Coordinates of all heavy atoms in Angstrom, one line a residue:
Chain B
R1402 N -56.4 20.4 -30.8 CA -55.4 20.8 -31.8 C -56.0 21.8 -32.7 O -57.1 21.6 -33.2 CB -55.0 19.6 -32.7 CG -54.8 18.3 -31.9 CD -53.5 18.2 -31.1 NE -53.4 16.9 -30.5 CZ -52.4 16.6 -29.6 NH1 -51.6 17.5 -29.2 NH2 -52.4 15.4 -29.0
E1403 N -55.2 22.9 -32.9 CA -55.8 24.0 -33.7 C -54.6 24.5 -34.6 O -53.5 24.8 -34.1 CB -56.3 25.1 -32.8 CG -56.9 26.2 -33.5 CD -57.4 27.3 -32.6 OE1 -57.2 27.2 -31.4 OE2 -58.1 28.3 -33.1
I1404 N -54.9 24.7 -35.9 CA -54.0 25.3 -36.8 C -54.1 26.8 -36.5 O -55.1 27.4 -36.7 CB -54.3 25.0 -38.2 CG1 -54.3 23.5 -38.5 CG2 -53.3 25.6 -39.2 CD1 -54.9 23.0 -39.9
V1405 N -53.0 27.4 -36.1 CA -53.0 28.8 -35.8 C -52.4 29.6 -36.9 O -52.5 30.9 -36.9 CB -52.4 29.2 -34.4 CG1 -53.3 28.6 -33.3 CG2 -51.0 28.6 -34.3
A1406 N -51.7 29.1 -37.8 CA -51.1 29.7 -39.0 C -50.9 28.7 -40.1 O -50.5 27.5 -39.7 CB -49.8 30.5 -38.7
C1407 N -51.1 29.0 -41.4 CA -50.9 28.0 -42.4 C -50.7 28.7 -43.7 O -51.2 29.7 -44.0 CB -52.2 27.1 -42.5 SG -52.0 25.7 -43.5
S1408 N -49.8 28.1 -44.5 CA -49.4 28.7 -45.8 C -50.6 28.4 -46.8 O -50.6 29.1 -47.8 CB -48.2 28.0 -46.3 OG -48.3 26.6 -46.4
D1409 N -51.5 27.5 -46.5 CA -52.6 27.2 -47.4 C -53.9 27.1 -46.5 O -54.0 26.1 -45.8 CB -52.4 25.9 -48.2 CG -53.5 25.5 -49.0 OD1 -54.6 26.3 -49.0 OD2 -53.4 24.5 -49.7
L1410 N -54.7 28.2 -46.6 CA -55.8 28.3 -45.6 C -56.8 27.2 -45.9 O -57.6 26.9 -45.0 CB -56.5 29.6 -45.7 CG -55.6 30.8 -45.4 CD1 -56.3 32.1 -45.5 CD2 -55.0 30.7 -44.0
Q1411 N -56.8 26.6 -47.1 CA -57.8 25.5 -47.4 C -57.2 24.1 -47.0 O -58.0 23.1 -47.2 CB -58.2 25.6 -48.8 CG -58.9 26.9 -49.2 CD -60.1 27.2 -48.2 OE1 -60.9 26.3 -48.0 NE2 -60.2 28.4 -47.7
A1412 N -56.0 24.1 -46.6 CA -55.4 22.7 -46.4 C -56.1 22.0 -45.3 O -56.4 22.6 -44.3 CB -53.9 22.9 -46.1
E1413 N -56.3 20.7 -45.5 CA -56.9 19.9 -44.5 C -55.9 18.9 -44.0 O -55.0 18.4 -44.7 CB -58.1 19.1 -45.1 CG -59.3 20.0 -45.4 CD -60.5 19.2 -45.6 OE1 -60.4 18.1 -46.2 OE2 -61.6 19.7 -45.3
I1414 N -56.0 18.7 -42.7 CA -55.0 17.8 -42.1 C -55.8 16.6 -41.4 O -56.9 16.8 -41.0 CB -54.1 18.4 -41.0 CG1 -54.9 19.0 -39.9 CG2 -53.2 19.4 -41.7 CD1 -54.1 19.5 -38.8
E1415 N -55.2 15.5 -41.4 CA -55.8 14.4 -40.6 C -55.1 14.3 -39.3 O -53.9 14.3 -39.2 CB -55.5 13.0 -41.3 CG -56.1 11.8 -40.6 CD -55.6 10.5 -41.2 OE1 -54.5 10.1 -40.9 OE2 -56.4 9.9 -41.9
V1416 N -55.9 14.4 -38.2 CA -55.4 14.3 -36.9 C -55.6 12.9 -36.3 O -56.8 12.5 -36.4 CB -56.1 15.4 -36.0 CG1 -55.6 15.2 -34.5 CG2 -55.8 16.8 -36.5
F1417 N -54.6 12.3 -35.8 CA -54.7 10.9 -35.3 C -54.3 10.9 -33.9 O -53.1 11.0 -33.6 CB -53.9 10.0 -36.2 CG -53.9 8.5 -35.7 CD1 -55.0 8.0 -35.0 CD2 -52.9 7.6 -36.0 CE1 -55.1 6.7 -34.6 CE2 -53.0 6.3 -35.6 CZ -54.0 5.9 -34.9
E1418 N -55.3 10.9 -33.0 CA -54.9 10.8 -31.6 C -54.9 9.4 -31.2 O -55.9 8.6 -31.4 CB -56.0 11.6 -30.7 CG -56.3 13.0 -31.2 CD -55.3 14.0 -30.6 OE1 -54.3 13.5 -29.9 OE2 -55.5 15.2 -30.8
F1419 N -53.8 8.9 -30.5 CA -53.8 7.5 -30.2 C -53.1 7.3 -28.8 O -52.4 8.0 -28.4 CB -53.1 6.6 -31.2 CG -51.7 7.0 -31.5 CD1 -50.6 6.3 -30.9 CD2 -51.4 8.0 -32.4 CE1 -49.4 6.6 -31.2 CE2 -50.0 8.4 -32.7 CZ -49.1 7.6 -32.0
F1420 N -53.6 6.2 -28.2 CA -53.3 5.8 -26.8 C -52.6 4.5 -26.9 O -53.3 3.5 -27.1 CB -54.6 5.8 -26.0 CG -54.4 5.6 -24.5 CD1 -54.6 6.6 -23.6 CD2 -54.2 4.3 -24.0 CE1 -54.5 6.3 -22.3 CE2 -54.1 4.0 -22.7 CZ -54.3 5.1 -21.8
N1421 N -51.3 4.4 -26.7 CA -50.6 3.2 -26.6 C -50.6 2.8 -25.1 O -49.8 3.3 -24.3 CB -49.1 3.4 -27.1 CG -49.0 3.2 -28.6 OD1 -50.0 3.0 -29.3 ND2 -47.8 3.4 -29.1
G1422 N -51.5 1.8 -24.8 CA -51.7 1.5 -23.4 C -51.0 0.2 -22.9 O -50.7 -0.6 -23.7
C1423 N -50.9 0.1 -21.6 CA -50.4 -1.1 -21.0 C -50.8 -0.9 -19.5 O -51.7 -0.1 -19.2 CB -48.8 -1.1 -21.1 SG -48.1 0.3 -20.5
W1424 N -50.3 -1.7 -18.7 CA -50.5 -1.4 -17.3 C -49.4 -2.1 -16.5 O -48.7 -3.0 -17.0 CB -51.8 -2.0 -16.7 CG -51.9 -3.5 -16.7 CD1 -52.3 -4.3 -17.8 CD2 -51.6 -4.4 -15.6 NE1 -52.3 -5.6 -17.4 CE2 -51.9 -5.7 -16.1 CE3 -51.2 -4.2 -14.3 CZ2 -51.7 -6.8 -15.2 CZ3 -51.0 -5.3 -13.5 CH2 -51.3 -6.6 -14.0
G1425 N -49.1 -1.5 -15.3 CA -48.0 -2.1 -14.5 C -47.6 -1.1 -13.4 O -48.1 -0.1 -13.2
T1426 N -46.5 -1.6 -12.7 CA -46.0 -0.7 -11.6 C -44.5 -0.5 -11.8 O -43.9 0.2 -11.0 CB -46.3 -1.3 -10.2 OG1 -45.8 -2.7 -10.2 CG2 -47.7 -1.3 -9.9
N1427 N -44.0 -1.3 -12.7 CA -42.5 -1.2 -12.9 C -42.1 -1.4 -14.4 O -43.0 -1.2 -15.2 CB -41.8 -2.2 -12.0 CG -42.3 -3.6 -12.3 OD1 -42.4 -4.0 -13.4 ND2 -42.6 -4.3 -11.2
E1428 N -40.9 -1.7 -14.7 CA -40.5 -1.6 -16.1 C -40.7 -2.9 -16.8 O -40.4 -3.0 -18.0 CB -39.0 -1.3 -16.1 CG -38.1 -2.2 -15.3 CD -36.8 -1.5 -14.9 OE1 -36.5 -0.4 -15.3 OE2 -36.0 -2.2 -14.3
Y1429 N -41.2 -4.0 -16.2 CA -41.5 -5.2 -16.9 C -42.9 -5.3 -17.4 O -43.8 -4.9 -16.7 CB -41.2 -6.4 -16.0 CG -39.7 -6.4 -15.6 CD1 -39.2 -6.1 -14.3 CD2 -38.7 -6.8 -16.5 CE1 -37.9 -6.1 -14.0 CE2 -37.4 -6.8 -16.2 CZ -37.0 -6.4 -15.0 OH -35.7 -6.5 -14.7
P1430 N -43.1 -5.9 -18.6 CA -44.5 -5.9 -19.1 C -45.4 -6.9 -18.4 O -44.9 -8.0 -17.9 CB -44.2 -6.4 -20.6 CG -42.9 -7.1 -20.6 CD -42.1 -6.4 -19.5
N1431 N -46.6 -6.5 -18.2 CA -47.6 -7.4 -17.7 C -48.5 -8.0 -18.8 O -48.5 -7.6 -19.9 CB -48.5 -6.6 -16.7 CG -47.8 -6.2 -15.5 OD1 -47.0 -5.3 -15.4 ND2 -48.0 -7.0 -14.4
D1432 N -49.2 -9.1 -18.4 CA -50.0 -9.7 -19.3 C -51.2 -8.9 -19.7 O -52.0 -8.4 -18.8 CB -50.6 -11.1 -18.6 CG -51.3 -12.0 -19.6 OD1 -51.7 -11.6 -20.7 OD2 -51.5 -13.1 -19.1

Side-chain angles (χ1 to χ4, degrees):
Chain B
R1402 316 284 182 190
E1403 183 180 7
I1404 303 168
V1405 292
C1407 189
S1408 61
D1409 177 356
L1410 298 181
Q1411 298 306 313
E1413 292 193 327
I1414 59 172
E1415 180 190 79
V1416 175
F1417 179 25
E1418 306 279 4
F1419 61 98
F1420 184 106
N1421 274 0
C1423 54
W1424 68 274
T1426 52
N1427 55 46
E1428 54 201 1
Y1429 295 106
N1431 287 80
D1432 188 347

